[in-house]
Amino acid sequence: MQDKEGTASGTRIAVELNSVKGFFFDTINTLSAPVDKRILQDALDQCAFYNDLLSKTVPGSDVHRINNAAGKPVQISAHTARIIEVALDIGRQSKGALNIALEPLIRLWDVRAQNPRVPKESEIQEAMRGSDLSLIELDGQTIRVPEDMSVDLGGIAKGYIADRIADYLRSRGVNSALLNLGGNVVTVGKRPDGQLWSIGLQSPEGLSGVEYFAVVSSSDNSVVTSGVYERGFDLDGVRYHHILDPRSGYPVSNGVVSVTAIGSESLMADALTTAMFVLGKNAGEQLAARYGYQCVFRMADGSISYTDGLSIKLLA
Ligand code: ADP
Ligand code: MG
């Protein structure tokens, strides 16, 4: 229980979970914990700060300044520097599957648009020029990106923010919480009744009934899922979704419908899910293992595979 100052009293009483919801980063974020709602609201308020720091469309954000610096060095916050450091590392380790310099291509496809369209091949080729990650120079909190390049942290920022919100809640004495930032789930401690948290992995068919295909048990951990069903559009029977293959310039089409990464840091798990999606099952599983993360792949033929030893219950 929490007193009014938000310090932990240490007693475990049967308490109800309170929840707050907010729409940031183009998605619904839900924070739940057996504490006063004001603490959760304070945590949610921090999402606005991170949105204004990391969104490429907010003038003055770190990412906006990077993308408008015309090749000059830019000073960025330690938050942004850390996210980009991990992005560049996983970018290299995944042979460019995770590529934060794919921004022009992401903008071209614009799968969230009101009337999305399939771009012309020539437009795709043009947008892919200037996506060479090795040209980005990051030195501490100074970054230099060539003039004809721009970055998009959409594939990893939410993971980092989820980690920071969990830290914030811990600093306010919260020892039990469940955070869900649009599929980036972080658990703080165990459930108020002392059990592990159960995290449902959303079914691709979720839209039409079956909500989850599996449940993963978690405590002080991160469970991050990316799926083709999340954002995208259908045209002439083809699904065009939001994870793009940097090699082809088209939405990934390798039979993967959802990828989950499980491990201590949500930033890492988020970066890995996007990379693993592009790499496909075998290379994706190897990448996760290299970083000590567990994973679940769900394929279009309905098959499910996961890391040995993962605490998972299949429902479908
Ligand atoms: P979400 O939780 O929004 O589904 P993901 O972690 O699945 O996010 O990342 C998808 C987002 O990452 C896209 O909306 C786009 O902004 C960006 N993106 C798409 N393809 C890539 C890629 N190959 N490398 C890096 N970022 C990408
Ligand atoms: Mg991701």
Side-chain angles (χ1 to χ4, degrees):
M1 274 293 281
Q2 303 282 314
D3 62 28
K4 286 208 176 66
E5 280 69 51
T7 51
S9 70
T11 21
R12 216 185 77 213
I13 316 169
V15 275
E16 268 184 46
L17 281 185
N18 274 324
S19 284
V20 297
K21 281 183 198 293
F23 195 82
F24 293 100
F25 328 114
D26 211 19
T27 190
I28 296 171
N29 305 277
T30 310
L31 315 182
S32 310
V35 299
D36 193 310
K37 266 197 176 176
R38 279 170 297 184
I39 295 178
L40 295 176
Q41 193 57 52
D42 288 347
L44 192 65
D45 288 347
Q46 299 197 358
C47 290
F49 163 79
Y50 288 108
N51 192 63
D52 292 352
L53 189 65
L54 301 167
S55 165
K56 66 181 182 184
T57 55
V58 173
S61 76
D62 275 2
V63 176
H64 192 269
R65 288 190 303 113
I66 292 170
N67 290 348
N68 289 281
K72 298 206 178 63
V74 177
Q75 290 298 313
I76 52 176
S77 70
H79 300 293
T80 313
R82 168 75 181 140
I83 296 170
I84 294 178
E85 185 191 2
V86 168
L88 294 179
D89 176 45
I90 296 193
R92 277 188 294 268
Q93 294 294 328
S94 66
K95 301 201 170 68
L98 177 76
N99 187 339
I100 54 168
L102 226 48
E103 195 277 333
L105 187 71
I106 294 166
R107 186 155 30 94
L108 174 67
W109 276 95
D110 197 10
V111 296
R112 295 171 177 83
Q114 288 254 304
N115 297 305
R117 65 179 183 101
V118 178
K120 292 197 213 95
E121 186 62 40
S122 57
E123 293 175 301
I124 291 176
Q125 293 309 324
E126 173 65 27
M128 286 208 297
R129 283 206 267 133
S131 59
D132 181 354
L133 275 185
S134 70
L135 299 177
I136 296 179
E137 295 167 28
L138 178 69
D139 180 9
Q141 287 175 234
T142 307
I143 186 167
R144 191 201 296 266
V145 173
E147 182 161 19
D148 57 352
M149 286 176 68
S150 44
V151 301
D152 178 315
L153 303 182
I156 50 173
K158 268 183 290 165
Y160 180 81
I161 298 161
D163 288 329
R164 296 291 71 80
I165 290 182
D167 282 353
Y168 172 76
L169 288 173
R170 288 189 183 99
S171 78
R172 300 265 325 245
V174 177
N175 55 18
S176 169
L178 179 68
L179 320 179
N180 186 351
L181 274 58
N184 285 250
V185 175
V186 171
T187 55
V188 173
K190 294 190 177 132
R191 287 187 342 197
D193 64 3
Q195 302 290 309
L196 296 175
W197 295 99
S198 299
I199 314 299
L201 307 189
Q202 197 187 331
S203 284
E205 308 82 28
L207 305 171
S208 58
V210 200
E211 219 179 335
Y212 303 116
F213 68 88
V215 172
V216 171
S217 299
S218 168
S219 128
D220 282 319
N221 218 358
S222 187
V223 181
V224 175
T225 301
S226 255
V228 296
Y229 45 83
E230 280 172 45
R231 299 165 203 278
F233 62 98
D234 295 284
L235 200 71
D236 298 332
V238 181
R239 175 84 183 147
Y240 297 96
H241 61 84
H242 70 316
I243 301 179
L244 302 173
D245 188 332
R247 294 162 297 196
S248 67
Y250 282 79
V252 174
S253 167
N254 56 7
V256 175
V257 285
S258 97
V259 178
T260 302
I262 301 123
S264 54
E265 225 185 317
S266 196
L267 166 65
M268 217 46 137
D270 198 1
L272 286 171
T273 55
T274 307
M276 288 156 69
F277 217 108
V278 175
L279 290 174
K281 192 159 84 70
N282 294 340
E285 283 171 348
Q286 284 168 19
L287 180 72
R290 214 177 302 151
Y291 285 90
Y293 280 63
Q294 296 175 302
C295 63
V296 183
F297 272 84
R298 169 143 182 157
M299 309 300 289
D301 65 6
S303 63
I304 296 164
S305 62
Y306 53 87
T307 314
D308 286 345
L310 177 66
S311 178
I312 186 172
K313 198 167 93 193
L314 300 183
L315 304 177

